[in-house]
């Protein structure tokens, strides 16, 4: 759902769910924890949920890429299913985890809808760069908005270059037979 829903819709329903009157928020309130809406913790949780599809896809693809061969080979050596998962599948899926972490982080950094709905626009607490750009544009401060936007473009370029570099490095290890 987070992949196809507009971020503001997801943020709105998370706001209802996490509010002190919501299903999750009332439980959090009853056990004595501070409310999640308009807090950094709430912002992190909402961002994680929003970016979940960008994390799940690379991990799922990594497990599919492994195939049955290594797991069947471990089974012939009397490895238990749990042992095969932790000592064969997870290490072989490592490139997927790395890609997932990079994509999930990068996707969250530029998000606006969920961040604004759950985190608000609280200075020095929940204001993020995407909201700051929006604030500058709304105030007709295009120079500041341009500067921050260029920083985000540079950030996106660096993240993608790093991701492609990691993937290329992992592929070269796999080709040479050294997979960690």
């Amino acid at each position: 759902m987070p992949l196809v829903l507009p971020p503001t819709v997801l943020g709105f329903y998370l706001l209802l769910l996490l509010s002190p009157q919501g299903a999750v928020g009332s439980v959090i309130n009853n056990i004595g924890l501070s409310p999640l809406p308009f807090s950094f913790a709430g912002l992190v949780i909402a961002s994680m949920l929003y970016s979940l599809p960008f994390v799940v896809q690379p991990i799922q693809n990594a497990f599919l890429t492994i195939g049955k061969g290594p797991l069947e080979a471990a089974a012939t050596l009397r490895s238990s299913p749990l042992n095969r998962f932790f000592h064969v599948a997870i290490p072989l899926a490592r490139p997927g985890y790395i890609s997932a972490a990079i994509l999930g982080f990068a996707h969250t950094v530029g998000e606006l809808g969920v961040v604004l709905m759950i985190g608000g626009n609280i200075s020095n607490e929940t204001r993020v760069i995407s909201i700051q750009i929006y604030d500058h544009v709304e105030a007709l401060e295009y120079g500041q908005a341009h500067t921050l936007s260029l920083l985000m473009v540079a950030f996106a370029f660096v993240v993608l270059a790093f991701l492609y570099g990691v993937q290329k490095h992992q592929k070269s290890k796999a080709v040479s037979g050294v997979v960690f």
Side-chain angles (χ1 to χ4, degrees):
M1 292 289 281
L3 192 60
V4 295
L5 274 178
T8 51
V9 172
L10 181 64
F12 173 69
Y13 284 116
L14 284 173
L15 184 62
L16 293 178
L17 186 70
L18 299 175
S19 74
Q21 296 79 26
V24 175
S26 62
V27 172
I28 290 171
N29 196 27
N30 288 339
I31 61 174
L33 296 175
S34 56
L36 291 174
F38 310 111
S39 70
F40 182 74
L43 185 63
V44 170
I45 291 169
S47 295
M48 286 173 43
L49 289 172
Y50 173 68
S51 292
L52 201 57
F54 292 88
V55 172
V56 169
Q57 289 290 331
I59 292 172
Q60 181 182 12
N61 290 338
F63 279 111
L64 290 173
T65 302
I66 293 170
K68 293 181 181 179
L71 299 174
E72 289 173 350
T76 62
L77 298 171
R78 297 185 183 190
S79 178
S80 71
L82 202 55
N83 194 21
R84 288 190 300 256
F85 178 71
F86 284 109
H87 296 289
V88 178
I90 286 181
L92 289 175
R94 183 173 170 229
Y97 287 107
I98 293 169
S99 296
I102 294 168
L103 285 174
F105 173 74
H107 184 251
T108 299
V109 167
E111 211 292 302
L112 180 69
V114 169
V115 169
L116 193 55
M117 291 298 246
I118 295 294
N121 191 6
I122 303 168
S123 184
N124 297 326
E125 189 169 337
T126 62
R127 184 178 295 156
V128 295
I129 195 166
S130 57
I131 293 174
Q132 190 64 43
I133 292 168
Y134 179 81
D135 286 347
H136 285 310
V137 170
E138 193 173 51
L140 302 176
E141 298 168 345
Y142 295 127
Q144 291 93 335
H146 181 63
T147 300
L148 290 176
S149 296
L150 281 177
L151 285 172
M152 288 302 292
V153 169
F155 172 77
F157 178 77
V158 168
V159 166
L160 287 174
F162 181 72
L163 178 62
Y164 290 130
V166 166
Q167 289 176 340
K168 185 176 181 180
H169 181 69
Q170 292 296 332
K171 284 181 186 175
S172 69
K173 280 184 177 180
V175 169
S176 67
V178 181
V179 179
F180 294 97

